Amino acid sequence: MIHHHVYQVSNFLEHKKKLIDLIYKIPINPLERVKGEKISHQDYNLPKSMTREYARYFENNMCDEYAKEFCNFLNCKRINITGMWFQVYKKGDHHNLHSHPGTNFTNVFYLNLPNKEIKTKIFINNNEQFNIDVKEGDILTFPGYYAHCSPINTFNEDKIVIAFNTDSIF
């Protein structure tokens, strides 16, 4: 069973500021749901036809290396990205427990991670937390059916991620 894969983006620091600048070209779009869940800025619910320069930049500058490494790890021919969005968590923001049905893998690219305490929490086998060591510049990949959440950001610095779903082609 494949629990997870962690890929360190090469030359991450060269890309970080550019990606963050491109994310903030999208008008601020908070998401608030039940149980106090809040994400201060995201594009998940914006029209798919909207230009997302950060996504194009990510695909053109980082995706090929990631896909090659992950396909090598998984022994598959290729992967297809089936959705991509960003999330900015300001102090007090969090994302409730959820999963991504209908996709093979969920991916979290840690663009800005002020503290490892607020990394994605993943649960397997009915609430057993699966602890993974990640840092800024890492892409964490795990099965889409695993329940996961983003804990409350208790720090003054924003947590920023680019999330995307992938399907593997064998």
Side-chain angles (χ1 to χ4, degrees):
M1 173 184 276
I2 297 170
H3 288 293
H4 76 285
H5 181 262
V6 177
Y7 171 76
Q8 174 67 45
V9 171
S10 60
N11 303 317
F12 167 68
L13 292 178
E14 293 176 21
H15 302 294
K16 179 180 176 176
K17 182 179 181 338
K18 178 71 173 174
L19 279 167
I20 291 172
D21 289 347
L22 291 172
I23 282 171
Y24 278 104
K25 286 181 83 171
I26 294 179
I28 300 297
N29 183 44
L31 181 67
E32 295 186 39
R33 295 188 189 172
V34 296
K35 298 180 185 172
E37 179 181 72
K38 181 181 179 197
I39 303 169
S40 287
H41 186 29
Q42 54 81 40
D43 67 338
Y44 182 79
N45 62 353
L46 294 176
K48 300 299 177 206
S49 60
M50 182 178 191
T51 300
R52 289 171 165 82
E53 291 181 62
Y54 78 88
R56 193 172 320 124
Y57 183 90
F58 174 78
E59 289 173 352
N60 290 339
N61 293 281
M62 290 158 266
C63 199
D64 286 346
E65 280 187 42
Y66 163 75
K68 182 179 177 182
E69 152 76 27
F70 186 64
C71 286
N72 197 31
F73 170 77
L74 197 60
N75 198 26
C76 67
K77 291 181 181 174
R78 69 181 208 279
I79 59 170
N80 286 338
I81 294 177
T82 58
M84 183 180 293
W85 59 97
F86 70 83
Q87 296 166 322
V88 177
Y89 296 90
K90 294 197 173 293
K91 187 172 186 175
D93 289 1
H94 74 283
H95 197 169
N96 292 337
L97 196 62
H98 65 285
S99 64
H100 296 206
T103 190
N104 295 147
F105 297 98
T106 297
N107 307 270
V108 180
F109 175 27
Y110 293 95
L111 195 51
N112 199 63
L113 186 63
N115 191 293
K116 290 185 178 191
E117 289 178 26
I118 57 173
K119 67 184 179 184
T120 305
K121 293 186 182 213
I122 301 171
F123 299 88
I124 57 174
N125 299 332
N126 299 326
N127 300 327
E128 176 188 335
Q129 187 171 343
F130 187 57
N131 192 22
I132 300 169
D133 187 29
V134 293
K135 61 188 175 309
E136 258 184 27
D138 285 348
I139 298 175
L140 169 62
T141 301
F142 55 93
Y145 64 88
Y146 281 5
H148 58 283
C149 65
S150 182
I152 295 173
N153 182 357
T154 57
F155 300 91
N156 291 323
E157 189 178 343
D158 296 348
K159 171 184 171 183
I160 304 173
V161 302
I162 295 174
F164 57 102
N165 290 332
T166 51
D167 287 339
S168 51
I169 311 299
F170 288 90

